[in-house]
Amino acid sequence: MLPLDILQKGLEYVGSITDPRLLQYGDVPGYSAFRTALAAFLETEYTTKVDASELFVTQGVTGALTTFCSLFTQTGSTVFVEEPTYFLAINIFKQDFCLNVVSVPVTPTGIDLEALEQAILNDKNPGPKFLYTIPTFHNPTSYTLTDEKRVALAKLAEQHDFIIVADEVYQMLYFGDNKPPLPLCYYTDRAISVGSFSKTLSPAYRLGWMQIKSKKIMDVFLKSGQMDSSGGNSPITQALVHGIIKSNSLFENIEKDKKILSTSCKELSDEVRAQLGKYVEFIEPTGGYFLWLKLKEPYTASQVLEHPGDVTFIAGTRFSAHGACNDYIRLSFSYYTKEDFAYGVGEIKKSFEALEAKLAQ
């Protein structure tokens, strides 16, 4: 899952470059040859047209979110998020930009659109607003927004005039034939689809992209002082990943990772059913990285964590903007072995058993 051999191929490509302009500031949206190669790669993955001029290279999702917030929001602006959602996004919105975070429930078919529309109508904030969503193999739930609801969400964005920032880092990590719908930018030009190499290569590259079909939105990024003065994000890292794409190693790595993740998901799911079936229930994912376990009454995640074994987990409250979801826990099936799953779930079972004994007193 962390392929050093692929890194070596990228380094070899960078080492073969003889044009010293690589060491210049670079193009604001990312250097042209890299965006062209990335567009061709995405076309193969999505089986639809990807225009290189619609791609803007970022420092991963975090870089995309912070750049977006700095350009499109102000203190107190409203951001609608799913409940639960990616905890680092909550931190960025609340701590770094002091936004008004409004949570909207998410269901197995994606964000609750009726609740979202009601939240929009209830919001009296006169400033700019946007939706941050993880539509495909959602973190932490692994739910995917259906095609029908993507169409409806696009209409809602147009009707109420808000931008959608779609965190789509798990888009390519589907299992078997469970290919998800296209990224949200194909449903409305009000959507910015954010991708990253963190899940398909490794986090250390700190490289991702935004796919933006609206010229008006793209121009805000292209003309921003912070991007113009820096000349884009790390041309050398872009060149390194360019080499990986040219060697076909990115495609091969994704195909390998999908098989590993699919097997790991099944192994962890089996362990959870066998050892924790008395305490939790869940929907087995068809892609992504995570199991989202619903605790049966009377258990809560915070109570279980009061009886720690050698293995811990992230409580659902971490994924809530307002401290909810204490009846959920998230487990990851990436980067672990079958033996790790058996041991880890066994340790969590001991925590449940200790809590069960305490509650019985």
Side-chain angles (χ1 to χ4, degrees), residues 247-287:
S247 71
N248 204 41
S249 297
L250 178 58
F251 172 77
E252 293 170 354
N253 193 62
I254 290 173
E255 292 303 302
K256 181 190 73 175
D257 282 356
K258 286 196 295 187
K259 292 176 182 177
I260 293 172
L261 289 167
S262 179
T263 299
S264 296
C265 177
K266 180 66 166 57
E267 290 171 348
L268 179 57
S269 296
D270 288 346
E271 285 292 344
V272 169
R273 277 189 286 261
Q275 298 198 56
L276 300 181
K278 179 180 180 181
Y279 307 106
V280 305
E281 56 190 10
F282 67 99
I283 299 172
E284 187 169 332
T286 58

Side-chain angles (χ1 to χ4, degrees), residues 191-336:
I192 300 172
S193 289
V194 183
S196 173
F197 295 101
S198 293
K199 302 299 185 290
T200 54
L201 283 175
S202 82
Y205 290 93
R206 310 312 303 149
L207 195 69
W209 68 91
M210 296 182 288
Q211 188 173 356
I212 305 170
K213 291 185 172 289
S214 164
K215 185 179 186 302
K216 180 180 178 181
I217 293 174
M218 178 64 89
D219 281 348
V220 175
F221 289 102
L222 293 175
K223 296 175 182 178
S224 68
Q226 60 181 297
M227 298 307 303
D228 184 43
S229 64
S230 65
N233 288 298
S234 185
I236 292 178
T237 305
Q238 292 178 48
L240 192 156
V241 177
H242 186 189
I244 291 172
I245 293 173
K246 284 172 65 73
S247 71
N248 204 41
S249 297
L250 178 58
F251 172 77
E252 293 170 354
N253 193 62
I254 290 173
E255 292 303 302
K256 181 190 73 175
D257 282 356
K258 286 196 295 187
K259 292 176 182 177
I260 293 172
L261 289 167
S262 179
T263 299
S264 296
C265 177
K266 180 66 166 57
E267 290 171 348
L268 179 57
S269 296
D270 288 346
E271 285 292 344
V272 169
R273 277 189 286 261
Q275 298 198 56
L276 300 181
K278 179 180 180 181
Y279 307 106
V280 305
E281 56 190 10
F282 67 99
I283 299 172
E284 187 169 332
T286 58
Y289 266 37
F290 308 110
L291 295 190
W292 184 237
L293 308 184
K294 165 73 170 171
L295 277 60
K296 297 178 181 179
E297 293 185 354
Y299 308 107
T300 65
S302 57
Q303 287 177 316
V304 178
L305 286 171
E306 292 173 359
H307 304 272
D310 287 341
V311 173
T312 188
F313 54 81
I314 301 180
T317 50
R318 184 82 181 275
F319 303 94
S320 170
H322 308 288
C325 300
N326 198 24
D327 52 344
Y328 285 91
I329 63 177
R330 190 196 76 174
L331 300 181
S332 172
F333 48 80
S334 66
Y335 204 63
Y336 296 105

Side-chain angles (χ1 to χ4, degrees), residues 17-219:
I17 295 174
T18 58
D19 188 342
R21 287 179 296 177
L22 173 67
L23 302 180
Q24 271 289 4
Y25 285 101
D27 300 329
V28 170
Y31 86 77
S32 179
F34 171 67
R35 287 185 291 121
T36 299
L38 176 59
F41 171 78
L42 294 176
E43 279 192 0
T44 301
E45 288 292 321
Y46 299 163
T47 62
T48 194
K49 175 68 175 175
V50 178
D51 190 330
S53 68
E54 297 173 351
L55 300 179
F56 193 104
V57 180
T58 68
Q59 291 182 313
V61 172
T62 300
L65 289 180
T66 55
T67 304
F68 175 86
C69 288
S70 71
L71 296 174
F72 288 86
T73 72
Q74 57 197 33
T75 298
S77 293
T78 296
V79 52
F80 301 100
V81 303
E82 289 144 338
E83 177 80 323
T85 193
Y86 179 40
F87 59 83
L88 291 182
I90 296 173
N91 295 345
I92 290 169
F93 300 147
K94 279 190 164 185
Q95 298 175 14
D96 298 350
F97 291 94
C98 301
L99 303 184
N100 172 40
V101 179
V102 177
S103 297
V104 179
V106 65
T107 76
T109 58
I111 191 169
D112 185 328
L113 295 181
E114 290 184 5
L116 173 60
E117 184 166 29
Q118 190 59 55
I120 292 169
L121 294 173
N122 291 342
D123 182 57
K124 305 305 180 185
N125 192 331
K129 53 181 63 73
F130 72 99
L131 167 68
Y132 168 74
T133 180
I134 310 170
T136 304
F137 307 128
H138 178 273
N139 179 6
T141 67
S142 290
Y143 300 154
T144 292
L145 187 67
T146 63
D147 177 74
E148 179 183 9
K149 290 180 77 168
R150 290 173 193 241
V151 172
L153 176 58
K155 291 179 180 177
L156 203 62
E158 291 158 10
Q159 178 183 348
H160 293 284
D161 190 25
F162 64 88
I163 294 175
I164 302 168
V165 178
D167 183 343
E168 306 193 80
V169 298
Y170 305 100
Q171 177 73 26
M172 303 175 205
L173 298 178
Y174 58 91
F175 307 154
D177 297 327
N178 296 293
K179 189 170 185 176
L182 286 170
L184 276 176
C185 67
Y186 287 96
Y187 291 80
T188 172
D189 64 4
R190 293 179 181 273
I192 300 172
S193 289
V194 183
S196 173
F197 295 101
S198 293
K199 302 299 185 290
T200 54
L201 283 175
S202 82
Y205 290 93
R206 310 312 303 149
L207 195 69
W209 68 91
M210 296 182 288
Q211 188 173 356
I212 305 170
K213 291 185 172 289
S214 164
K215 185 179 186 302
K216 180 180 178 181
I217 293 174
M218 178 64 89
D219 281 348

